Amino acid sequence: MDIVFPTEHGTFNYRVAGIWVQDGHLLVHRNVNDDFWALPGGRVGIGEEAELALTRELQEELEATLTGTTFAFVSKNFFTYLERTVHEIGMYFYVSGDLPLRHGDFHGPEGNHLIYRWQPLDALRDLKLFPETLYALPQSLPPHFIDR
Protein backbone atom coordinates (compact mmCIF):
# COMPACT_ATOMS: atom_id res chain seq x y z
CA MET A 1 0.00 0.00 0.00
CA ASP A 2 1.45 3.35 -1.08
CA ILE A 3 1.91 6.10 1.49
CA VAL A 4 -0.64 8.49 0.04
CA PHE A 5 -3.59 9.68 2.10
CA PRO A 6 -6.44 11.58 0.46
CA THR A 7 -8.57 13.59 2.88
CA GLU A 8 -11.35 16.14 2.53
CA HIS A 9 -8.72 18.89 2.94
CA GLY A 10 -6.15 17.54 0.49
CA THR A 11 -3.73 14.68 -0.09
CA PHE A 12 -0.55 13.71 1.73
CA ASN A 13 2.02 11.97 -0.47
CA TYR A 14 5.41 10.40 0.31
CA ARG A 15 7.55 10.24 -2.83
CA VAL A 16 11.11 9.27 -3.76
CA ALA A 17 12.96 10.58 -6.80
CA GLY A 18 16.30 10.02 -8.48
CA ILE A 19 18.81 12.67 -9.48
CA TRP A 20 20.40 10.87 -12.42
CA VAL A 21 23.15 12.80 -14.20
CA GLN A 22 25.10 11.58 -17.21
CA ASP A 23 27.42 13.57 -19.46
CA GLY A 24 26.05 16.89 -18.23
CA HIS A 25 22.40 15.82 -18.63
CA LEU A 26 19.70 15.28 -15.98
CA LEU A 27 16.99 12.66 -16.46
CA VAL A 28 13.54 14.25 -16.13
CA HIS A 29 10.02 13.08 -16.88
CA ARG A 30 6.44 14.27 -17.12
CA ASN A 31 2.97 12.90 -17.66
CA VAL A 32 1.71 13.56 -21.20
CA ASN A 33 -1.15 15.63 -19.73
CA ASP A 34 1.10 17.86 -17.60
CA ASP A 35 2.91 21.04 -18.57
CA PHE A 36 5.74 20.57 -16.03
CA TRP A 37 8.67 18.22 -15.55
CA ALA A 38 9.95 16.43 -12.44
CA LEU A 39 12.49 13.80 -11.52
CA PRO A 40 11.55 10.16 -12.09
CA GLY A 41 10.53 8.13 -9.08
CA GLY A 42 7.32 7.30 -7.33
CA ARG A 43 5.51 6.55 -4.13
CA VAL A 44 6.90 4.61 -1.22
CA GLY A 45 4.93 1.69 0.18
CA ILE A 46 4.25 1.24 3.87
CA GLY A 47 7.22 -0.59 5.40
CA GLU A 48 9.38 -0.02 2.29
CA GLU A 49 12.85 1.53 2.49
CA ALA A 50 13.09 4.71 0.40
CA GLU A 51 16.10 3.47 -1.60
CA LEU A 52 14.34 0.21 -2.40
CA ALA A 53 11.21 2.08 -3.49
CA LEU A 54 13.30 4.20 -5.86
CA THR A 55 15.07 1.12 -7.23
CA ARG A 56 11.70 -0.57 -7.79
CA GLU A 57 10.13 2.48 -9.44
CA LEU A 58 13.00 3.02 -11.88
CA GLN A 59 13.02 -0.68 -12.73
CA GLU A 60 9.27 -0.60 -13.42
CA GLU A 61 9.29 2.66 -15.36
CA LEU A 62 12.53 2.34 -17.33
CA GLU A 63 13.81 -1.24 -16.84
CA ALA A 64 16.87 0.45 -15.32
CA THR A 65 19.10 -1.25 -12.80
CA LEU A 66 20.59 1.11 -10.24
CA THR A 67 24.22 0.59 -9.30
CA GLY A 68 24.29 3.29 -6.65
CA THR A 69 22.06 5.50 -4.53
CA THR A 70 23.26 8.30 -2.27
CA PHE A 71 20.91 10.44 -0.19
CA ALA A 72 20.74 14.04 -1.47
CA PHE A 73 17.98 15.93 0.36
CA VAL A 74 14.39 15.98 1.63
CA SER A 75 11.93 18.47 0.24
CA LYS A 76 8.48 19.44 1.45
CA ASN A 77 6.29 20.46 -1.43
CA PHE A 78 2.88 22.13 -1.34
CA PHE A 79 0.99 22.36 -4.61
CA THR A 80 -2.33 21.88 -6.34
CA TYR A 81 -2.66 19.00 -8.79
CA LEU A 82 -5.87 18.09 -10.60
CA GLU A 83 -7.73 20.58 -8.38
CA ARG A 84 -6.50 18.87 -5.17
CA THR A 85 -4.23 20.41 -2.55
CA VAL A 86 -1.17 18.20 -2.09
CA HIS A 87 1.31 18.11 0.80
CA GLU A 88 4.25 16.04 -0.37
CA ILE A 89 7.39 14.90 1.37
CA GLY A 90 9.99 14.01 -1.24
CA MET A 91 13.20 12.11 -0.58
CA TYR A 92 15.78 12.72 -3.31
CA PHE A 93 18.76 10.50 -4.07
CA TYR A 94 21.70 10.76 -6.43
CA VAL A 95 21.56 7.62 -8.55
CA SER A 96 23.65 5.82 -11.12
CA GLY A 97 22.93 2.78 -13.21
CA ASP A 98 22.65 1.22 -16.62
CA LEU A 99 20.32 3.63 -18.44
CA PRO A 100 21.97 4.92 -21.64
CA LEU A 101 21.98 8.59 -22.54
CA ARG A 102 19.49 9.25 -25.34
CA HIS A 103 18.68 12.33 -27.40
CA GLY A 104 15.12 13.57 -27.64
CA ASP A 105 12.04 12.50 -25.72
CA PHE A 106 11.37 8.82 -25.12
CA HIS A 107 8.94 6.50 -23.33
CA GLY A 108 9.52 3.64 -20.93
CA PRO A 109 8.07 0.12 -21.03
CA GLU A 110 4.99 1.16 -19.02
CA GLY A 111 3.59 2.97 -22.05
CA ASN A 112 3.27 6.41 -23.58
CA HIS A 113 1.74 8.19 -20.57
CA LEU A 114 5.19 9.23 -19.27
CA ILE A 115 7.70 11.18 -21.35
CA TYR A 116 11.38 11.03 -20.40
CA ARG A 117 14.21 13.30 -21.48
CA TRP A 118 17.91 13.73 -20.73
CA GLN A 119 17.90 17.52 -20.28
CA PRO A 120 21.24 19.39 -20.43
CA LEU A 121 22.09 20.74 -16.98
CA ASP A 122 22.83 24.15 -18.45
CA ALA A 123 19.30 24.25 -19.94
CA LEU A 124 17.22 23.29 -16.89
CA ARG A 125 15.61 26.74 -16.85
CA ASP A 126 14.17 26.00 -20.29
CA LEU A 127 11.77 23.64 -18.51
CA LYS A 128 8.98 24.23 -16.03
CA LEU A 129 10.57 21.99 -13.38
CA PHE A 130 9.33 21.01 -9.92
CA PRO A 131 10.38 21.32 -7.22
CA GLU A 132 11.95 24.60 -8.26
CA THR A 133 14.95 23.96 -5.98
CA LEU A 134 16.20 21.68 -8.78
CA TYR A 135 17.16 24.74 -10.84
CA ALA A 136 20.14 25.14 -8.48
CA LEU A 137 21.28 21.58 -9.15
CA PRO A 138 24.12 22.40 -11.57
CA GLN A 139 25.81 24.51 -8.87
CA SER A 140 25.19 22.04 -6.04
CA LEU A 141 26.11 18.69 -7.59
CA PRO A 142 28.84 16.72 -5.86
CA PRO A 143 32.06 16.98 -7.91
CA HIS A 144 31.98 13.36 -9.11
CA PHE A 145 28.68 14.05 -10.95
CA ILE A 146 29.89 17.05 -12.92
CA ASP A 147 32.20 15.27 -15.39
CA ARG A 148 29.94 12.31 -16.13
Side-chain angles (χ1 to χ4, degrees):
M1 179 176 168
D2 290 338
I3 303 175
V4 57
F5 301 104
T7 73
E8 63 184 72
H9 302 289
T11 300
F12 174 81
N13 188 43
Y14 174 28
R15 183 174 191 272
V16 290
I19 302 168
W20 200 329
V21 176
Q22 283 193 63
D23 297 323
H25 293 74
L26 175 69
L27 182 64
V28 295
H29 83 310
R30 70 176 180 87
N31 184 290
V32 297
N33 298 314
D34 293 337
D35 67 347
F36 64 91
W37 296 82
L39 297 180
R43 293 182 174 146
V44 179
I46 291 180
E48 186 176 31
E49 295 283 339
E51 295 92 331
L52 294 177
L54 183 56
T55 299
R56 174 185 50 75
E57 287 287 343
L58 293 176
Q59 173 62 37
E60 290 172 2
E61 293 178 5
L62 293 165
E63 295 180 333
T65 301
L66 297 186
T67 57
T69 59
T70 303
F71 176 77
F73 61 90
V74 173
S75 178
K76 62 181 177 209
N77 303 304
F78 302 96
F79 55 93
T80 300
Y81 185 70
L82 300 177
E83 300 181 15
R84 298 252 332 143
T85 300
V86 179
H87 178 161
E88 179 179 86
I89 300 296
M91 301 228 0
Y92 293 80
F93 294 85
Y94 298 112
V95 299
S96 57
D98 67 353
L99 190 66
L101 183 66
R102 299 164 82 171
H103 297 284
D105 294 347
F106 62 98
H107 302 282
E110 288 189 319
N112 295 340
H113 68 285
L114 290 177
I115 301 169
Y116 294 87
R117 177 187 297 173
W118 286 102
Q119 181 73 8
L121 285 170
D122 60 5
L124 289 182
R125 291 207 176 267
D126 294 348
L127 301 177
K128 184 176 181 182
L129 182 64
F130 291 115
E132 292 177 348
T133 56
L134 294 173
Y135 290 127
L137 197 58
Q139 294 78 33
S140 63
L141 278 174
H144 65 279
F145 277 95
I146 295 171
D147 295 325
R148 286 183 169 206

